[in-house]
Every structure is written in C-alpha cells, then in structure tokens.
Amino acid sequence: MQRKWPAPLSVHVLLVLLVMLSFMPLSSAAESGGMIAFKDALADFGIDSAGFFELRGGGRLADDDYEQQTSLAEARLQLELGSDLGWGIIKAKGDLLADTVTDDYQGELRELSLLLFPLEFMDVKLGRQVLTWGTGDLLFINDFFPKDWKSFFIGRDAEYLKAPSDAVKVSMFFDLVNVDLVYVPLFNGSDYIDGERLSYWNPVLGRTAGRDYVFPDEDRDSFFAEDEWAFRLHRTIRGVELALYGYQGYWKTPEGLNPVSGRLIYPMLRIYGASMRGALLGGLGNLEAGYYDSRDDRQGDDPLIRNSEWRFLAGYERELGRDFTGGIQYYLEAMADYKNYRRSLPAGAKKADELRSVITLRLTRLLLNQNLILSCFTYYSPTDNDAYLRPTISYKINDYWLVEGGANLFFGADEHTFFGQFQDNTNAYLGLRVSF
C-alpha cells in the first residue's frame, strides 16, 4: 500500500518563528548601517566580507504518494570572507542551513581556497572551490563538475546547482594556447535524485518511488586511487572562443547498479570534447560536443551500466528588445552500441531510445529600472515527449532586500522518462533575502 508522508508542521512553525525572530534584528542592522560598521571593522584588518540571510519555502502543486506536500522550508545564512595577502588571495564561503523538510540542520563549506601566482604565466588555486567551464546554458557536456540536482528542482537559488569540489586547479597562459588543469584527489559525485525529497522512477521496482525506497549508492572513498583529472585548452581567435576538453574519472551520477548489494555505483568514465563560441547574426552562438567513453561497459552489452554516448549542443542568444533577451539551444544524446544494449535488456525492462533530444528556450525581461526580473527557462524533449518549465520572478526592493518566486513544472506522457518521472514533484516556491 502506498503511504502518504505528512510534513512535520510543528517543527516548521517553531523553526520559522525562531528564524523570524533572529532575522528581524539582522535586517534592521543591515538597513541602519550596523552591518556596514561590522564590515568596515573587518576591512580594517584587510578582510572583505559579504553574505545574506534567507527564508525560502515551497509546496507541491500535485499529490505525491511518496513525499511530503512541503517541498521546501528552510532558513539559510551565508557568510563570505576574502583577503589579499600580497603573496596570495584567500577566500572562504560557508552556509548554515536549517532544513525542515529533511528535519536537518547543517553547515556547508562552499569555498575555502588559496589562490597563488608562483610564475608570471601561472595561477594555482588550492582547496574547496566551485569549478565550471563549457558553453551550455543549464545544459552540460564538458562541464563535468558536480551538480546539486535536488536544489535545482526544489527552488533554491541557481547558485546551488553547482556544487563545490576539493581540488587543485592550475591555469597557465601562453601565446599559443591557455591551459587549465584540475585534479580532484577523491571522487566527488553529484547530489542525485535518490527519493529523499523528490520522487523518481525506480527501474528495479518498475514504478515510481520516494521516501519508501531511498536508492543508496556505493561511495568511492579511496584518496588518490579514486581520483579525477580534467583539462581544458582554450584560445580566442578573431573573436571566436575555441576549447578542447578532457576528463578521466567516473560518471557523476550513479549510472550503474551492483546486482549483489543492490546499490547504485559510479562506473569509470572518460570524456573527450570541444567547443566554440562567438558573435553570430547580432547575437552569440555556440557549438559543443563530447564523447562519453563508459569504460566499464565499452561493448554496451551490460544492462546494469550506462553505455558510451555522443553528446552535441548548438545554442544561440541575442537581445530581442530593450531589456529583453532570448536564448535557444538544441541538445542531442546518441547512445553507442545500441544493438548490444537492446539485446542485453531483460524481458519487461523499459527501453531507452537510441537518440534523445532536448530543445531549450530562455526568455528574460527586465523592468522597473532592472529591479524586476521576469524569466522562464523551458526544456522540451520531442523524443521523450516530456517537458520542464522554470518560470521565475525576482524584485530587488533596495540594496539589501530581494524577494523571489518561481515554480518547477514537470510534464510527461510516461512516468519513466527524464522529466516525466518528476511530474508529482511539480512545485512553487517563494523566497525572501536580505544581503549584507
């Protein structure tokens, strides 16, 4: 029998009241100059500071038999510090989060890094940092750094989609080409949808699951043995940005299953890719491609491990009017060794298509002296016959206050496709932030 999961309302109410009580003097201080005085005191020691305090809540717009009706109810404090030491730049950014959906209170260190300049042509950044590259807009081929998909789908700020890595990044600048090297000594996967707070299609059960079946994974926890390497060679020629990419490590989301333990696993992976971006027809165009070499299933005949595949992306964005911009992308995944994959599937298993395509459209309008931002990002897959819409509205009240709202709307003809599986997670949210 399916079970309804009630929200812990008493905990929500208590927490929100406590947060509001602590929030009021903070906001007052920010507006009256108290926080400015605090920042000035830090500046006297050569420390730059910034941060915000935020309340954010949301709820499902559809019934979900496996999750709480409340999709988001949390308070967050972020503090960012930085200092130029003369011989290097040190930065730290951390969050304190009270999350009443998971009934959890946690601290998260999003950055603790030291940037050094050992040679005129070389920068070295050590420590925890958010890494990114590539040309896609909310589509990623060669940006294979960890993502937080739970935050993305429940309505947290877009900043939280990109999760931090503990890494060393070396950047070298030459006349012929610039080089970025990244080494991660311990594999760092993405925060995937496991049923903890978003329901999903479970291929083992052959049905949608959620809190009744949180899909566990097998950690890769061997320092220097289960590590990751990535590089980018890039140069701009006549206004066109050209880049080559490489990655060696593991699938960032668990794309395999251990049949003995019943746990998800992270198979080995290599990526080879390229991209270009430049001015086009009054706007900006980009092309990107990558080959995903699934090294634990190179023949494509293991139904428990994702096959190798090609990925392509073409995008174009331009200003459509005053303070009105639009962007469109076409994305394609092509599975390698599809015949072997199809022959290996057990009877009754849902079969993936050989080709999966996605079209995206972003429209953004700025109003009221650019203090009001209306935006909608749409994903539509003609091959999966599903879609995902992200309408958002944000209004900057003054230099401190920001109010934001939005929705995550999922549609699909089938419950096992990428976006179709999340239909019961359709939600709307509202956030209030004071910066200091």
Side-chain angles (χ1 to χ4, degrees):
M1 177 180 294
Q2 294 177 343
R3 178 181 174 185
K4 285 279 187 179
W5 299 91
L9 292 177
S10 59
V11 176
H12 290 176
V13 174
L14 177 61
L15 182 68
V16 169
L17 288 175
L18 289 173
V19 167
M20 290 180 68
L21 287 174
S22 60
F23 182 77
M24 294 305 293
L26 180 61
S27 62
S28 176
E31 291 184 321
S32 67
M35 187 55 67
I36 295 176
F38 174 69
K39 294 178 66 175
D40 288 344
L42 289 176
D44 290 340
F45 292 95
I47 301 174
D48 298 323
S49 62
F52 64 81
F53 197 93
E54 181 181 81
L55 290 174
R56 196 167 278 248
R60 281 181 169 74
L61 303 179
D63 291 333
D64 192 322
D65 293 327
Y66 305 100
E67 302 289 348
Q68 298 178 22
Q69 200 62 27
T70 301
S71 57
L72 182 66
E74 63 188 31
R76 181 186 298 271
L77 172 65
Q78 183 181 96
L79 181 62
E80 182 176 1
L81 303 173
S83 182
D84 187 343
L85 305 174
W87 48 268
I89 298 174
I90 187 168
K91 288 186 177 180
K93 181 192 290 187
D95 286 15
L96 293 176
L97 175 67
D99 184 346
T100 64
V101 174
T102 57
D103 199 18
D104 191 18
Y105 309 89
Q106 59 181 294
E108 180 188 14
L109 185 61
R110 292 190 58 79
E111 181 168 4
L112 181 58
S113 65
L114 177 62
L115 178 62
L116 302 172
F117 312 97
L119 300 170
E120 286 189 358
F121 62 88
M122 179 185 292
D123 296 348
V124 179
K125 193 171 186 178
L126 309 165
R128 180 160 295 190
Q129 53 193 295
V130 174
L131 299 163
T132 187
W133 57 41
T135 65
D137 183 7
L138 297 182
L139 288 173
F140 308 100
I141 294 181
N142 293 296
D143 179 350
F144 212 65
F145 302 112
K147 309 293 185 298
D148 182 349
W149 294 109
K150 294 177 185 173
S151 293
F152 187 64
F153 289 145
I154 63 174
R156 287 181 178 142
D157 189 277
E159 167 191 356
Y160 294 96
L161 170 61
K162 297 186 178 182
S165 301
D166 296 322
V168 178
K169 180 181 179 184
V170 179
S171 299
M172 294 174 283
F173 310 96
F174 304 105
D175 292 336
L176 179 62
V177 67
N178 300 316
V179 180
D180 292 321
L181 295 174
V182 174
Y183 178 65
V184 180
L186 177 64
F187 169 70
N188 186 15
S190 294
D191 198 357
Y192 65 99
I193 308 302
D194 60 359
E196 181 188 30
R197 64 187 305 157
L198 294 166
S199 56
Y200 68 103
W201 173 259
N202 186 309
V204 175
L205 302 178
R207 64 167 175 82
T208 299
R211 288 195 169 198
D212 63 323
Y213 195 98
V214 176
F215 222 147
D217 62 350
E218 293 183 0
D219 291 334
R220 290 190 176 272
D221 52 7
S222 180
F223 270 94
F224 305 112
E226 295 178 322
D227 53 3
E228 300 173 88
W229 290 89
F231 75 83
R232 177 178 64 161
L233 308 178
H234 60 105
R235 182 181 178 184
T236 299
I237 300 177
R238 296 182 178 178
V240 179
E241 301 171 11
L242 304 171
L244 296 174
Y245 307 88
Y247 170 82
Q248 176 169 299
Y250 308 88
W251 288 90
K252 283 296 183 180
T253 51
E255 302 292 351
L257 176 70
N258 184 334
V260 177
S261 67
R263 290 176 173 264
L264 297 169
I265 58 174
Y266 299 86
M268 292 190 293
L269 179 70
R270 281 182 183 155
I271 301 174
Y272 313 92
S275 72
M276 61 184 301
R277 175 165 51 193
L280 178 68
L281 301 175
L284 194 63
N286 63 286
L287 293 172
E288 187 167 345
Y291 177 68
Y292 283 46
D293 180 6
S294 190
R295 298 174 60 206
D296 283 334
D297 184 25
R298 279 186 157 157
Q299 302 304 315
D301 54 3
D302 186 342
L304 301 181
I305 295 179
R306 185 163 177 165
N307 279 28
S308 300
E309 61 191 40
W310 289 91
R311 296 188 180 189
F312 303 93
L313 172 69
Y316 179 70
E317 63 175 310
R318 66 166 297 168
E319 190 173 34
L320 303 176
R322 183 180 178 186
D323 291 333
F324 182 36
T325 58
I328 189 169
Q329 299 177 110
Y330 176 76
Y331 170 81
L332 178 67
E333 293 177 359
M335 185 188 300
D337 304 307
Y338 187 70
K339 290 182 179 178
N340 291 345
Y341 160 78
R342 198 169 55 182
R343 281 197 293 263
S344 68
L345 282 180
K350 298 288 186 182
K351 181 181 66 176
D353 293 331
E354 183 177 9
L355 301 177
R356 174 176 177 262
S357 61
V358 177
I359 300 169
T360 76
L361 175 66
R362 179 193 286 276
L363 296 174
T364 303
R365 183 79 164 97
L366 308 181
L367 300 166
L368 302 178
N369 295 320
Q370 301 186 349
N371 289 317
L372 176 63
I373 302 176
L374 306 176
S375 178
C376 185
F377 195 98
T378 301
Y379 296 85
Y380 167 65
S381 173
T383 50
D384 284 355
N385 197 19
D386 60 5
Y388 170 41
L389 276 66
R390 289 174 53 86
T392 61
I393 178 172
S394 65
Y395 179 62
K396 184 179 179 183
I397 301 171
N398 56 33
D399 289 342
Y400 304 107
W401 289 84
L402 177 73
V403 60
E404 182 181 16
N408 295 282
L409 311 175
F410 300 95
F411 305 91
D414 300 300
E415 58 184 351
H416 65 277
T417 59
F418 188 81
F419 295 124
Q421 65 179 315
F422 300 131
Q423 289 183 76
D424 291 343
N425 296 295
T426 289
N427 63 81
Y429 60 90
L430 186 65
L432 182 64
R433 172 181 294 193
V434 58
S435 301
F436 55 87

